[in-house]
Amino acid sequence: MELLFDLCCFIHFISFSSLFPLTEMGRLYEQNFFLECPSGVVNEETFKEIYSQFFPQGDSTTYAHFLFNAFDTDHNGCVSFEDFVMGLSILLRGTVQEKLNWAFNLYDINKDGYVTKEEMLDIMKAIYDMMGKCTYPVVKEDAPRQHVETFFQKMDKNKDGVVTIDEFIESCQKDENIMRSMQLFENVI
């Protein structure tokens, strides 16, 4: 009984810290997170296994690694329910600024405050791998590199070889396709 009370208090607390109502928070925990991760945390390998179920036609391993690191905000090698909900809260219900900050954190693989062309290419290759080889139209082998060249030129305003958070946000806000994609998942849960 005490454990149930503690769980309810925990879910209530996270609900206040996130952008999810209490009912959705309970449903997220009971019907999703707890079923897959009864210990209350998920390690990277389990995260990759779960994530791969959403992309059976491709290899999501590398992208899931990057995504796991973005959710693992305290860098302890596991994602707690709180880590998961706070990230999901931003992605699904956050402001454009919050979503872009989160995306920058995803692209900043080494967490030095900058995105390099190599980091952007690593993420882009991982996305293309995740989507699989059976896309229509067929994706050319050098598509990720071309994509990165185009975006990096737009984003690296001062041409110093790195993209800062300010350059990233400004460039994304000026791109209609990126701004439209920011709204795709707003009412998923």
Side-chain angles (χ1 to χ4, degrees):
M1 188 67 161
E2 188 175 319
L3 182 62
L4 183 59
F5 178 75
D6 289 346
L7 179 60
C8 288
C9 288
F10 174 69
I11 290 174
H12 200 76
F13 169 76
I14 295 176
S15 178
F16 280 121
S17 302
S18 73
L19 299 170
F20 291 116
L22 188 57
T23 53
E24 285 180 304
M25 187 64 57
R27 195 175 51 215
L28 260 176
Y29 186 76
E30 290 174 7
Q31 295 177 2
N32 298 96
F33 199 87
F34 185 72
L35 287 178
E36 296 290 339
C37 314
S39 68
V41 296
V42 61
N43 64 28
E44 186 172 346
E45 287 310 307
T46 304
F47 186 87
K48 287 177 181 178
E49 289 172 22
I50 294 167
Y51 202 74
S52 70
Q53 295 171 25
F54 296 100
F55 299 94
Q57 74 281 8
D59 180 3
S60 65
T61 306
T62 306
Y63 189 74
H65 166 74
F66 295 138
L67 201 56
F68 179 86
N69 287 338
F71 276 107
D72 182 15
T73 55
D74 55 4
H75 310 292
N76 66 353
C78 63
V79 173
S80 68
F81 180 65
E82 185 175 3
D83 293 336
F84 179 70
V85 166
M86 297 312 289
L88 208 56
S89 176
I90 290 169
L91 291 172
L92 299 180
R93 305 281 168 83
T95 64
V96 168
Q97 184 78 25
E98 290 169 329
K99 290 176 183 181
L100 290 174
N101 280 325
W102 197 94
F104 181 85
N105 181 54
L106 174 70
Y107 278 87
D108 181 14
I109 295 170
N110 67 3
K111 308 301 180 223
D112 66 354
Y114 302 99
V115 174
T116 64
K117 194 180 287 188
E118 292 76 26
E119 287 173 315
M120 193 176 282
L121 184 58
D122 287 346
I123 296 285
M124 201 56 58
K125 282 180 180 176
I127 291 170
Y128 276 83
D129 288 346
M130 179 176 64
M131 299 314 291
K133 303 293 182 204
C134 301
T135 58
Y136 184 81
V138 175
V139 176
K140 295 179 183 175
E141 194 68 32
D142 64 339
R145 185 169 300 283
Q146 288 177 348
H147 194 116
V148 167
E149 287 295 332
T150 302
F151 271 98
F152 205 85
Q153 276 185 345
K154 285 182 189 178
M155 290 184 171
D156 186 13
K157 301 286 186 195
N158 62 2
K159 307 299 179 211
D160 63 353
V162 295
V163 174
T164 65
I165 183 89
D166 293 335
E167 289 173 320
F168 183 86
I169 289 173
E170 182 184 334
S171 298
C172 290
Q173 287 177 328
K174 289 181 179 177
D175 189 298
E176 288 180 28
N177 291 326
I178 292 174
M179 294 312 294
R180 248 193 320 273
S181 72
M182 296 302 243
Q183 298 169 352
L184 284 178
F185 301 108
E186 285 184 358
N187 297 307
V188 171
I189 295 180

